[in-house]
Amino acid sequence: MNVLVLIKQVPDTTDVRIDRETNTLIREGVPSIINPFDTYAIEEGLRLRESAGGGTVTVMSMGPPQVEGALREALALGVDDAILLSDRAFAGSDTWATSYTLAAGIRKRGEFDVVLCGKQAIDGDTAQVGPGVAKLLGIPQVAYVRKLTLDGKRCIAERMMEDGSDVLGVPLPALFTVVKEINEPRLPSLKGKMKAKKAEITVWGVSDLEVDDSEIGLDGSPTRVKTIFAPELRTNGIVFQGEVDETVPLLVKELVPILKTEI
Amino acid sequence: MSSIEVLEERCVGCELCIKACLYDAIEMRDGIAVIKDNCTLCGACVEPCKFDAIILRQEKREAVELSDYRGVWVVAEQRAGVLHDVSFELLGKGRELAEELSVELSAVLLGSGVEDLAPQLIARGADRVYVVDEPELEHFLDEPYSNVVAELIGRHSPEIVLTGATSMGRSLIPRVAVQVKTGLTADCTGLAIDDKERLLLQTRPAFGGNIMATIICPDFRPQMATVRHKVMSALDADPSRKGEIVREKMDAVLLESKVEYIEFVKDLTQTINIADADIIVSGGRGLGGPENFHLVEELAEAMGGAVGASRAAVDAGWVPYSHQVGQTGKTVQPKLYIACGISGAVQHLAGMQSSKTIVAINKDPDAPIFHAATYGIVGDLFDVLPALTKSLKAEL
Ligand SMILES: Cc1cc2nc3c(=O)[nH]c(=O)nc-3n(C[C@H](O)[C@H](O)[C@H](O)COP(=O)(O)OP(=O)(O)OC[C@H]3O[C@@H](n4cnc5c(N)ncnc54)[C@H](O)[C@@H]3O)c2cc1C
Ligand SMILES: Cc1cc2nc3c(=O)[nH]c(=O)nc-3n(C[C@H](O)[C@H](O)[C@H](O)COP(=O)(O)OP(=O)(O)OC[C@H]3O[C@@H](n4cnc5c(N)ncnc54)[C@H](O)[C@@H]3O)c2cc1C
């Protein structure tokens, strides 16, 4: 069982705050972490290897050189090897170009049975890369997987929908994106950490991959970010202060028309 | 290759760009901004620079023949023969966009034995419904569904394609976008037309709701976007509206699926999905304990609303996880959201700040929740909630 796990390094958005004076993000001191959903993908990869009784788990990421840190964290958890796709030419990739580059990396890596992704990245928040990679590799996909079991040559996947789960039989190779209900990620062992420190990380740039220059990075991205701004504050909010017998009637006066007309 | 550059003679070292950068990719060296190699070329720093010292150079590229693409499409979603409300909401918005562009609005309907649903889509604003009714499409499977939508786009060349940001939409449509090679914007909360350029301006939250970005797709067609449930407004159903129903045939290979649909397992623990509620009353740590949650439930009941909670209340075991609102819980967008004893942490705001009207009840006048609120009461919830429930019951 050869598993590839795609991981993204992201700023810990839970630590990101907005400076209301300047309406900008306060990024100072915000640590970079492995996208939280990807930690479940790593764990699922390790479990698949265990239940298949052997094989390899490889993590792959596209990003700047500092992503090496995230890859070493994954190695400390027991992942066999790590590949970083890094090149200035990849900068500015939207989900199309990201999927294209990752698919090229996976092809170069060689044979695989399963590709695992997180449900979505907490910065870009699109959930589009997994399905995009699957299409470019020409393999089936199942998104929002909450349970994955090996069943001979195929996997049984439970896909989380709004009203319940679809149970699907999936022949391999296939790509799955996972939700956090799927497992409880393990912690790194001391031995794992030592090994990760010394491990060799493979780095591939544009010239190592079979890619078309016009399909990568900003140039290969159909979408363009036109503007970025802080969400509007309701500065005109009305706050009632005082005794309950004053404030509650004032609020009720505002709410009743809303309840009667809009809902 | 596209690139970004700081014009050293213009940079005054004011650091505005550093504040604007989402990725901590700019630093000051000798009083001049230097772009580091983790820059993603997103351009967030270009406009904030008051001295025009940052230039993002984008390579010119061949655009597809844009005028070959006309019309606005909505990919309708049905599960077990029932249309999802988000499809009606998208038709409401699609109608607006189509009129602005002076083109037709079409819906795409996939499934098995679903043709009867087409008139509902016309009643909600569609001029035309493309129906692909095949036994292979009985259940949602990514491969045949995406093949069919991509094939239809190829046949009819719409300029805009909208899909609900549901589990199904978000799984299916990225596959389609890759197949037809075009851009896709996720989870939009705003859609507008730039009529000079005839472009769809797609506005969406990112970074857990901390920032908003407007995304465009200038050189490829169709322009594709997903939109969350309850963001747009549906038109009232008008059964007298006229529209055309077009049956489309598909080659058998397009309907093949390697994945086999085994069964559907209904989730019984989630009897109500708070994401569907029009009114939500949420409680937080300020309630002090599970024995006080009835105050929240009673207020919700008085208005016919659902009960939500902050993570603090869920983690303490006062309320089941299915009620949690926020970054790691549900994203909700009700018409009315009332937060009781919730401080308003960004992770909570990320899940509810696009609600239409937000009411905050908190004893701390400096609680951040008041920044997000349309109305607020500063006071002790143990006094405010019973009084509010009583007086709303009397009024409604
Ligand atoms: C504010 C903002 C808004 C944006 N909006 C859009 C948009 O609407 N449409 C669009 O096409 N692009 C958009 N982008 C660009 C997008 O963020 C990048 O393309 C990003 O590289 C991938 O998208 P994501 O973060 O949404 O990942 P997702 O698609 O949410 O990631 C899903 C999974 O894919 C894998 N994965 C994702 N990226 C990588 C990677 N670099 N290396 C390895 N595995 C990875 C991980 O397993 C991850 O869990 C936006 C960027 C910004 C800054
Ligand atoms: C990775 C991560 C993900 C997270 N995801 C979520 C999420 O999905 N959803 C979420 O909600 N949180 C989430 N959090 C947690 C979040 O940061 C906050 O800790 C949490 O929202 C706080 O809940 P609270 O507002 O109920 O409690 P507190 O912050 O403790 O606020 C309680 C409030 O009640 C008020 N109060 C107290 N007594 C009274 C009274 N008698 N009358 C009136 N007001 C009173 C206080 O003034 C205070 O403002 C997440 C955090 C992390 C790190």
Side-chain angles (χ1 to χ4, degrees):
Chain A
M1 167 69 59
N2 292 318
V3 183
L4 263 153
V5 187
L6 303 180
I7 69 171
K8 185 182 185 193
Q9 190 179 51
V10 297
D12 189 349
T13 53
T14 56
D15 274 4
V16 175
R17 280 165 301 127
I18 293 184
D19 180 340
R20 285 301 177 190
E21 308 259 288
T22 56
N23 248 4
T24 51
L25 289 181
I26 305 171
R27 285 249 16 216
E28 219 160 286
V30 173
S32 288
I33 54 170
I34 297 181
N35 177 40
F37 294 106
D38 300 352
T39 61
Y40 299 91
I42 296 171
E43 176 65 31
E44 200 58 22
L46 297 172
R47 290 187 188 193
L48 278 174
R49 185 185 63 189
E50 283 155 17
S51 58
T56 59
V57 180
T58 305
V59 283
M60 181 181 285
S61 187
M62 180 191 89
Q66 35 298 31
V67 174
E68 218 192 282
L71 293 170
R72 285 197 196 279
E73 266 180 65
L75 287 165
L77 294 167
V79 162
D80 300 287
D81 61 330
I83 301 171
L84 174 60
L85 310 180
S86 193
D87 200 303
R88 280 307 295 157
F90 299 149
S93 297
D94 73 352
T95 59
W96 199 100
T98 303
S99 305
Y100 177 81
T101 309
L102 288 169
I106 293 170
R107 266 192 222 103
K108 177 170 170 103
R109 166 72 178 58
E111 269 187 38
F112 64 90
D113 302 295
V114 170
V115 181
L116 293 169
C117 291
K119 168 185 105 149
Q120 70 193 71
I122 60 168
D123 54 349
D125 265 348
T126 67
Q128 290 172 183
V129 170
V133 169
K135 177 69 212 175
L136 287 162
L137 292 173
I139 58 173
Q141 78 196 37
V142 182
Y144 304 108
V145 174
R146 71 192 298 171
K147 190 166 176 215
L148 198 58
T149 30
L150 212 49
D151 173 36
K153 278 202 169 354
R154 65 175 194 170
C155 276
I156 304 294
E158 276 183 31
R159 169 171 70 192
M160 203 156 104
M161 304 298 280
E162 283 83 0
D163 50 354
S165 303
D166 288 332
V167 183
L168 304 164
V170 191
L172 303 182
L175 180 145
F176 303 94
T177 82
V178 306
V179 294
K180 64 183 186 343
E181 285 77 4
I182 196 167
N183 58 41
E184 195 70 54
R186 69 194 68 187
L187 293 170
S189 64
L190 199 59
K191 209 172 116 217
K193 282 188 187 167
M194 302 289 285
K195 218 176 119 208
K197 236 188 226 154
K198 283 179 269 159
E200 191 77 41
I201 287 178
T202 310
V203 182
W204 289 334
V206 172
S207 55
D208 299 304
L209 299 179
E210 267 186 51
V211 290
D212 186 329
D213 282 351
S214 65
E215 308 274 24
I216 56 170
L218 191 60
D219 300 339
S221 297
T223 65
R224 290 279 147 93
V225 178
K226 191 166 185 282
T227 44
I228 288 185
F229 53 98
E232 244 174 80
L233 266 186
R234 296 186 204 228
T235 40
N236 54 349
I238 304 171
V239 177
F240 305 115
Q241 303 212 33
E243 293 304 316
V244 172
D245 50 3
E246 295 162 18
T247 56
V248 167
L250 288 171
L251 178 62
V252 169
K253 217 173 114 205
E254 302 290 344
L255 292 187
V256 167
I258 296 175
L259 290 166
K260 286 202 168 145
T261 58
E262 285 181 27
I263 298 167
Chain B
M1 193 174 108
S2 299
S3 63
I4 191 157
E5 191 191 337
V6 177
L7 302 178
E8 293 191 5
E9 65 280 11
R10 290 202 188 156
C11 177
V12 300
C14 70
E15 304 196 356
L16 280 174
C17 52
I18 294 187
K19 292 212 170 81
C21 180
L22 303 173
Y23 293 95
D24 199 11
I26 309 179
E27 65 187 16
M28 284 294 153
R29 275 186 221 149
D30 304 323
I32 300 237
V34 176
I35 308 224
K36 298 192 282 185
D37 60 5
N38 58 327
C39 165
T40 69
L41 300 180
C42 75
C45 55
V46 174
E47 218 178 73
C49 177
K50 297 211 166 46
F51 306 92
D52 295 330
I54 305 182
I55 309 285
L56 180 62
R57 288 201 181 82
Q58 296 185 354
E59 191 111 327
K60 274 257 167 294
R61 60 183 174 197
E62 284 289 304
V64 297
E65 189 50 53
L66 301 182
S67 60
D68 289 349
Y69 294 79
R70 283 293 177 262
V72 177
W73 280 19
V74 169
V75 180
E77 173 167 345
Q78 61 82 22
R79 245 172 111 69
V82 180
L83 285 165
H84 195 296
D85 281 344
V86 75
S87 308
F88 299 144
E89 294 160 11
L90 290 176
L91 286 170
K93 186 69 197 181
R95 190 73 252 150
E96 235 175 270
L97 300 173
E99 267 155 34
E100 217 165 314
L101 292 164
S102 310
V103 295
E104 289 189 324
L105 172 65
S106 305
V108 174
L109 177 61
L110 275 58
S112 173
V114 292
E115 199 182 313
D116 294 352
L117 302 175
Q120 289 184 45
L121 297 166
I122 294 171
R124 299 287 189 150
D127 298 312
R128 183 182 305 111
V129 183
Y130 295 107
V131 182
V132 184
D133 202 323
E134 301 286 354
E136 292 90 337
L137 300 175
E138 181 181 357
H139 300 292
F140 164 52
L141 290 166
D142 293 279
E143 293 158 282
Y145 269 61
S146 59
N147 285 338
V148 167
V149 176
E151 170 72 17
L152 289 175
I153 289 173
R155 285 184 197 169
H156 302 287
S157 311
E159 62 196 298
I160 293 175
V161 176
L162 308 177
T163 310
T166 54
S167 301
M168 180 178 139
R170 293 185 91 188
S171 174
L172 155 76
I173 222 67
R175 213 174 154 101
V176 175
V178 163
Q179 205 160 339
V180 302
K181 167 103 221 216
T182 190
L184 172 61
T185 307
D187 264 352
C188 298
T189 53
L191 293 172
I193 302 285
D194 170 345
D195 20 86
K196 261 213 328 274
E197 313 266 349
R198 203 184 169 95
L199 273 180
L200 184 64
L201 303 175
Q202 311 161 79
T203 300
R204 64 176 299 249
F207 283 79
N210 281 306
I211 60 158
M212 303 293 291
T214 300
I215 313 262
I216 52 173
C217 177
D219 306 323
F220 294 86
R221 289 294 176 274
Q223 304 164 90
M224 297 181 47
T226 64
V227 180
R228 285 205 188 153
H229 185 23
K230 291 195 180 287
V231 176
M232 305 298 174
S233 312
L235 298 171
D236 289 334
D238 173 3
S240 69
R241 275 198 57 148
K242 293 267 170 304
E244 182 189 4
I245 298 175
V246 183
R247 289 167 202 84
E248 295 271 349
K249 282 284 152 219
M250 290 291 145
D251 265 355
V253 288
L254 296 176
L255 298 170
E256 282 170 14
S257 175
K258 293 194 198 86
V259 175
E260 176 205 354
Y261 194 94
I262 300 174
E263 62 173 336
F264 172 67
V265 183
K266 194 160 175 56
D267 185 351
L268 297 172
T269 61
Q270 266 174 279
T271 41
I272 41 145
N273 183 355
I274 58 168
D276 289 335
D278 279 333
I279 301 173
I280 297 174
V281 184
S282 284
R285 201 187 330 251
L287 274 140
E291 66 282 5
N292 300 324
F293 237 80
H294 68 96
L295 295 173
V296 168
E297 286 157 10
E298 281 156 17
L299 176 57
E301 207 182 14
M303 298 181 295
V307 172
S310 72
R311 182 160 122 178
V314 170
D315 283 354
W318 304 348
V319 192
Y321 170 70
S322 59
H323 293 264
Q324 182 178 318
V325 172
Q327 186 179 310
T328 45
K330 295 232 161 64
T331 302
V332 298
Q333 219 140 27
K335 303 226 167 77
L336 176 62
Y337 188 89
I338 304 187
C340 314
I342 293 177
S343 59
V346 281
Q347 298 87 11
H348 189 78
L349 296 178
M352 46 61 78
Q353 63 195 353
S354 355
S355 307
K356 186 141 184 235
T357 301
I358 296 174
V359 175
I361 298 166
N362 198 302
K363 67 176 182 191
D364 173 9
D366 295 324
I369 190 76
F370 286 118
H371 292 299
T374 334
Y375 304 106
I377 289 186
V378 178
D380 191 325
L381 63 86
F382 293 99
D383 301 330
V384 175
L385 288 184
L388 186 57
T389 305
K390 194 166 150 221
S391 116
L392 280 174
K393 265 193 187 148
E395 294 276 347
L396 296 173

